[in-house]
Amino acid sequence: FGYVLYYFLILQKTSTMVAAAGENQCEVVLVGCGAPKRGMGWYHAVQMIKGKCPSAKLCFVVEPWFLGAGSTGPGGPEFVEWQKEVEASEGIQFFKSLADLPPPADGKKRLALISGRTADNPRLLTECIGAGNCSTIYLEKPGAPTVAELEAMRDEASAAGVSVLMGYNKNVCKYVSKAR
């Protein structure tokens, strides 16, 4: 019995929790988190972590900037601290590139929530489609620098059979507030 308890305790210390979508949830990969308490992606992450969207489970974060060249710049240390916190408490996995993501869990749908820099969004959408493991993409506004790029993105997603939803934060501009 002592050996069993010993190995159980060792396994407990060395195993790590991994976020997984529940029965009625889709896996979410957040692409472009941004800085904690500043980036729109970070706010989306916090909402999912707090269970504000019960049909979605944040399982992965892809953050090319803060897991790359921006790791030591402004916001970098705060991002790394937050990353360590949510890896330990939530089991969310972090990656520098979409190419590093594991395939979706058996029978699960995966949604990519793109909240990157506007100039990067066309490339990020192409990478999400190219990875072949996202059935739906939620694209935070503005989706691209130009209408022509948005149209090309729409056509690319349509050809691949990927649904794209556009996000819009209704509280960002005065004319929307006045229209309400």
PDB file of all heavy atoms in Angstrom, residues 4-24:
ATOM      1  N   VAL A   4       2.008   2.210  -3.517  1.00  0.00           N
ATOM      2  CA  VAL A   4       0.914   2.749  -4.321  1.00  0.00           C
ATOM      3  C   VAL A   4       0.686   4.213  -3.972  1.00  0.00           C
ATOM      4  O   VAL A   4       0.560   5.072  -4.850  1.00  0.00           O
ATOM      5  CB  VAL A   4      -0.385   1.928  -4.127  1.00  0.00           C
ATOM      6  CG1 VAL A   4      -1.558   2.599  -4.817  1.00  0.00           C
ATOM      7  CG2 VAL A   4      -0.196   0.515  -4.636  1.00  0.00           C
ATOM      8  N   LEU A   5       0.641   4.523  -2.685  1.00  0.00           N
ATOM      9  CA  LEU A   5       0.462   5.897  -2.253  1.00  0.00           C
ATOM     10  C   LEU A   5       1.622   6.760  -2.713  1.00  0.00           C
ATOM     11  O   LEU A   5       1.421   7.872  -3.212  1.00  0.00           O
ATOM     12  CB  LEU A   5       0.325   5.967  -0.721  1.00  0.00           C
ATOM     13  CG  LEU A   5       0.118   7.367  -0.134  1.00  0.00           C
ATOM     14  CD1 LEU A   5      -1.145   8.010  -0.712  1.00  0.00           C
ATOM     15  CD2 LEU A   5       0.031   7.296   1.368  1.00  0.00           C
ATOM     16  N   TYR A   6       2.839   6.262  -2.610  1.00  0.00           N
ATOM     17  CA  TYR A   6       4.025   7.001  -3.044  1.00  0.00           C
ATOM     18  C   TYR A   6       3.929   7.347  -4.528  1.00  0.00           C
ATOM     19  O   TYR A   6       4.117   8.488  -4.929  1.00  0.00           O
ATOM     20  CB  TYR A   6       5.291   6.183  -2.756  1.00  0.00           C
ATOM     21  CG  TYR A   6       6.539   6.792  -3.342  1.00  0.00           C
ATOM     22  CD1 TYR A   6       7.142   7.897  -2.745  1.00  0.00           C
ATOM     23  CD2 TYR A   6       7.102   6.281  -4.501  1.00  0.00           C
ATOM     24  CE1 TYR A   6       8.278   8.462  -3.282  1.00  0.00           C
ATOM     25  CE2 TYR A   6       8.241   6.836  -5.051  1.00  0.00           C
ATOM     26  CZ  TYR A   6       8.827   7.930  -4.440  1.00  0.00           C
ATOM     27  OH  TYR A   6       9.954   8.487  -4.975  1.00  0.00           O
ATOM     28  N   TYR A   7       3.603   6.358  -5.382  1.00  0.00           N
ATOM     29  CA  TYR A   7       3.518   6.605  -6.818  1.00  0.00           C
ATOM     30  C   TYR A   7       2.356   7.527  -7.167  1.00  0.00           C
ATOM     31  O   TYR A   7       2.442   8.331  -8.080  1.00  0.00           O
ATOM     32  CB  TYR A   7       3.430   5.289  -7.600  1.00  0.00           C
ATOM     33  CG  TYR A   7       4.761   4.595  -7.662  1.00  0.00           C
ATOM     34  CD1 TYR A   7       4.961   3.370  -7.037  1.00  0.00           C
ATOM     35  CD2 TYR A   7       5.840   5.176  -8.312  1.00  0.00           C
ATOM     36  CE1 TYR A   7       6.187   2.742  -7.067  1.00  0.00           C
ATOM     37  CE2 TYR A   7       7.078   4.565  -8.352  1.00  0.00           C
ATOM     38  CZ  TYR A   7       7.250   3.341  -7.733  1.00  0.00           C
ATOM     39  OH  TYR A   7       8.463   2.742  -7.759  1.00  0.00           O
ATOM     40  N   PHE A   8       1.255   7.423  -6.413  1.00  0.00           N
ATOM     41  CA  PHE A   8       0.130   8.323  -6.618  1.00  0.00           C
ATOM     42  C   PHE A   8       0.557   9.765  -6.340  1.00  0.00           C
ATOM     43  O   PHE A   8       0.251  10.666  -7.106  1.00  0.00           O
ATOM     44  CB  PHE A   8      -1.049   7.931  -5.721  1.00  0.00           C
ATOM     45  CG  PHE A   8      -2.198   8.919  -5.789  1.00  0.00           C
ATOM     46  CD1 PHE A   8      -3.040   8.944  -6.892  1.00  0.00           C
ATOM     47  CD2 PHE A   8      -2.423   9.810  -4.757  1.00  0.00           C
ATOM     48  CE1 PHE A   8      -4.084   9.840  -6.969  1.00  0.00           C
ATOM     49  CE2 PHE A   8      -3.465  10.711  -4.817  1.00  0.00           C
ATOM     50  CZ  PHE A   8      -4.294  10.730  -5.929  1.00  0.00           C
ATOM     51  N   LEU A   9       1.274   9.977  -5.253  1.00  0.00           N
ATOM     52  CA  LEU A   9       1.726  11.323  -4.909  1.00  0.00           C
ATOM     53  C   LEU A   9       2.722  11.852  -5.939  1.00  0.00           C
ATOM     54  O   LEU A   9       2.674  13.024  -6.307  1.00  0.00           O
ATOM     55  CB  LEU A   9       2.338  11.341  -3.506  1.00  0.00           C
ATOM     56  CG  LEU A   9       1.344  11.110  -2.369  1.00  0.00           C
ATOM     57  CD1 LEU A   9       2.083  10.985  -1.038  1.00  0.00           C
ATOM     58  CD2 LEU A   9       0.319  12.217  -2.303  1.00  0.00           C
ATOM     59  N   ILE A  10       3.611  11.002  -6.426  1.00  0.00           N
ATOM     60  CA  ILE A  10       4.558  11.417  -7.463  1.00  0.00           C
ATOM     61  C   ILE A  10       3.799  11.784  -8.736  1.00  0.00           C
ATOM     62  O   ILE A  10       4.058  12.814  -9.357  1.00  0.00           O
ATOM     63  CB  ILE A  10       5.583  10.286  -7.764  1.00  0.00           C
ATOM     64  CG1 ILE A  10       6.479  10.043  -6.546  1.00  0.00           C
ATOM     65  CG2 ILE A  10       6.406  10.601  -9.007  1.00  0.00           C
ATOM     66  CD1 ILE A  10       7.381  11.210  -6.194  1.00  0.00           C
ATOM     67  N   LEU A  11       2.836  10.953  -9.132  1.00  0.00           N
ATOM     68  CA  LEU A  11       2.048  11.215 -10.324  1.00  0.00           C
ATOM     69  C   LEU A  11       1.291  12.524 -10.181  1.00  0.00           C
ATOM     70  O   LEU A  11       1.219  13.328 -11.115  1.00  0.00           O
ATOM     71  CB  LEU A  11       1.084  10.061 -10.582  1.00  0.00           C
ATOM     72  CG  LEU A  11       0.204  10.177 -11.822  1.00  0.00           C
ATOM     73  CD1 LEU A  11       1.064  10.211 -13.079  1.00  0.00           C
ATOM     74  CD2 LEU A  11      -0.767   9.023 -11.888  1.00  0.00           C
ATOM     75  N   GLN A  12       0.743  12.785  -9.008  1.00  0.00           N
ATOM     76  CA  GLN A  12       0.007  14.014  -8.768  1.00  0.00           C
ATOM     77  C   GLN A  12       0.905  15.229  -8.949  1.00  0.00           C
ATOM     78  O   GLN A  12       0.500  16.235  -9.511  1.00  0.00           O
ATOM     79  CB  GLN A  12      -0.542  14.018  -7.339  1.00  0.00           C
ATOM     80  CG  GLN A  12      -2.018  14.123  -7.284  1.00  0.00           C
ATOM     81  CD  GLN A  12      -2.512  14.182  -5.862  1.00  0.00           C
ATOM     82  OE1 GLN A  12      -1.800  13.905  -4.902  1.00  0.00           O
ATOM     83  NE2 GLN A  12      -3.753  14.545  -5.722  1.00  0.00           N
ATOM     84  N   LYS A  13       2.137  15.153  -8.494  1.00  0.00           N
ATOM     85  CA  LYS A  13       3.049  16.289  -8.592  1.00  0.00           C
ATOM     86  C   LYS A  13       3.554  16.502 -10.011  1.00  0.00           C
ATOM     87  O   LYS A  13       3.873  17.614 -10.384  1.00  0.00           O
ATOM     88  CB  LYS A  13       4.247  16.088  -7.654  1.00  0.00           C
ATOM     89  CG  LYS A  13       3.897  16.270  -6.205  1.00  0.00           C
ATOM     90  CD  LYS A  13       5.128  16.144  -5.349  1.00  0.00           C
ATOM     91  CE  LYS A  13       4.787  16.383  -3.905  1.00  0.00           C
ATOM     92  NZ  LYS A  13       5.948  16.300  -3.041  1.00  0.00           N
ATOM     93  N   THR A  14       3.664  15.446 -10.806  1.00  0.00           N
ATOM     94  CA  THR A  14       4.249  15.579 -12.127  1.00  0.00           C
ATOM     95  C   THR A  14       3.210  15.711 -13.230  1.00  0.00           C
ATOM     96  O   THR A  14       3.539  16.128 -14.321  1.00  0.00           O
ATOM     97  CB  THR A  14       5.160  14.377 -12.451  1.00  0.00           C
ATOM     98  OG1 THR A  14       4.386  13.175 -12.377  1.00  0.00           O
ATOM     99  CG2 THR A  14       6.334  14.308 -11.499  1.00  0.00           C
ATOM    100  N   SER A  15       1.966  15.346 -12.966  1.00  0.00           N
ATOM    101  CA  SER A  15       0.952  15.464 -14.014  1.00  0.00           C
ATOM    102  C   SER A  15       0.442  16.902 -14.047  1.00  0.00           C
ATOM    103  O   SER A  15       0.433  17.596 -13.045  1.00  0.00           O
ATOM    104  CB  SER A  15      -0.194  14.496 -13.780  1.00  0.00           C
ATOM    105  OG  SER A  15      -0.888  14.833 -12.607  1.00  0.00           O
ATOM    106  N   THR A  16       0.025  17.322 -15.220  1.00  0.00           N
ATOM    107  CA  THR A  16      -0.513  18.662 -15.353  1.00  0.00           C
ATOM    108  C   THR A  16      -1.937  18.575 -15.878  1.00  0.00           C
ATOM    109  O   THR A  16      -2.269  17.706 -16.661  1.00  0.00           O
ATOM    110  CB  THR A  16       0.330  19.508 -16.324  1.00  0.00           C
ATOM    111  OG1 THR A  16       0.392  18.834 -17.579  1.00  0.00           O
ATOM    112  CG2 THR A  16       1.727  19.728 -15.802  1.00  0.00           C
ATOM    113  N   MET A  17      -2.743  19.502 -15.439  1.00  0.00           N
ATOM    114  CA  MET A  17      -4.118  19.571 -15.898  1.00  0.00           C
ATOM    115  C   MET A  17      -4.116  20.114 -17.329  1.00  0.00           C
ATOM    116  O   MET A  17      -3.339  20.995 -17.664  1.00  0.00           O
ATOM    117  CB  MET A  17      -4.904  20.515 -14.981  1.00  0.00           C
ATOM    118  CG  MET A  17      -6.323  20.699 -15.419  1.00  0.00           C
ATOM    119  SD  MET A  17      -7.359  21.730 -14.353  1.00  0.00           S
ATOM    120  CE  MET A  17      -6.301  23.008 -13.793  1.00  0.00           C
ATOM    121  N   VAL A  18      -5.000  19.590 -18.162  1.00  0.00           N
ATOM    122  CA  VAL A  18      -5.148  20.059 -19.530  1.00  0.00           C
ATOM    123  C   VAL A  18      -6.614  20.420 -19.734  1.00  0.00           C
ATOM    124  O   VAL A  18      -7.502  19.614 -19.462  1.00  0.00           O
ATOM    125  CB  VAL A  18      -4.702  18.980 -20.548  1.00  0.00           C
ATOM    126  CG1 VAL A  18      -4.963  19.445 -21.969  1.00  0.00           C
ATOM    127  CG2 VAL A  18      -3.234  18.632 -20.355  1.00  0.00           C
ATOM    128  N   ALA A  19      -6.849  21.635 -20.193  1.00  0.00           N
ATOM    129  CA  ALA A  19      -8.223  22.083 -20.436  1.00  0.00           C
ATOM    130  C   ALA A  19      -8.864  21.234 -21.522  1.00  0.00           C
ATOM    131  O   ALA A  19      -8.233  20.923 -22.529  1.00  0.00           O
ATOM    132  CB  ALA A  19      -8.227  23.558 -20.854  1.00  0.00           C
ATOM    133  N   ALA A  20     -10.104  20.861 -21.307  1.00  0.00           N
ATOM    134  CA  ALA A  20     -10.845  20.070 -22.292  1.00  0.00           C
ATOM    135  C   ALA A  20     -12.300  20.526 -22.294  1.00  0.00           C
ATOM    136  O   ALA A  20     -12.879  20.794 -21.239  1.00  0.00           O
ATOM    137  CB  ALA A  20     -10.763  18.584 -21.956  1.00  0.00           C
ATOM    138  N   ALA A  21     -12.869  20.593 -23.475  1.00  0.00           N
ATOM    139  CA  ALA A  21     -14.265  21.000 -23.609  1.00  0.00           C
ATOM    140  C   ALA A  21     -15.182  19.926 -23.040  1.00  0.00           C
ATOM    141  O   ALA A  21     -14.925  18.733 -23.189  1.00  0.00           O
ATOM    142  CB  ALA A  21     -14.596  21.249 -25.087  1.00  0.00           C
ATOM    143  N   GLY A  22     -16.237  20.359 -22.387  1.00  0.00           N
ATOM    144  CA  GLY A  22     -17.224  19.446 -21.829  1.00  0.00           C
ATOM    145  C   GLY A  22     -18.168  18.929 -22.902  1.00  0.00           C
ATOM    146  O   GLY A  22     -18.019  19.210 -24.094  1.00  0.00           O
ATOM    147  N   GLU A  23     -19.173  18.204 -22.455  1.00  0.00           N
ATOM    148  CA  GLU A  23     -20.101  17.533 -23.375  1.00  0.00           C
ATOM    149  C   GLU A  23     -20.790  18.489 -24.345  1.00  0.00           C
ATOM    150  O   GLU A  23     -20.931  18.199 -25.519  1.00  0.00           O
ATOM    151  CB  GLU A  23     -21.151  16.758 -22.574  1.00  0.00           C
ATOM    152  CG  GLU A  23     -22.054  15.920 -23.438  1.00  0.00           C
ATOM    153  CD  GLU A  23     -23.017  15.089 -22.618  1.00  0.00           C
ATOM    154  OE1 GLU A  23     -22.678  14.713 -21.473  1.00  0.00           O
ATOM    155  OE2 GLU A  23     -24.112  14.826 -23.128  1.00  0.00           O
ATOM    156  N   ASN A  24     -21.237  19.622 -23.881  1.00  0.00           N
ATOM    157  CA  ASN A  24     -21.960  20.570 -24.734  1.00  0.00           C
ATOM    158  C   ASN A  24     -21.146  21.825 -25.033  1.00  0.00           C
ATOM    159  O   ASN A  24     -21.704  22.913 -25.150  1.00  0.00           O
ATOM    160  CB  ASN A  24     -23.287  20.949 -24.075  1.00  0.00           C
ATOM    161  CG  ASN A  24     -24.222  19.768 -23.966  1.00  0.00           C
ATOM    162  OD1 ASN A  24     -24.393  19.019 -24.932  1.00  0.00           O
ATOM    163  ND2 ASN A  24     -24.799  19.566 -22.801  1.00  0.00           N
TER     164      ASN A  24
END
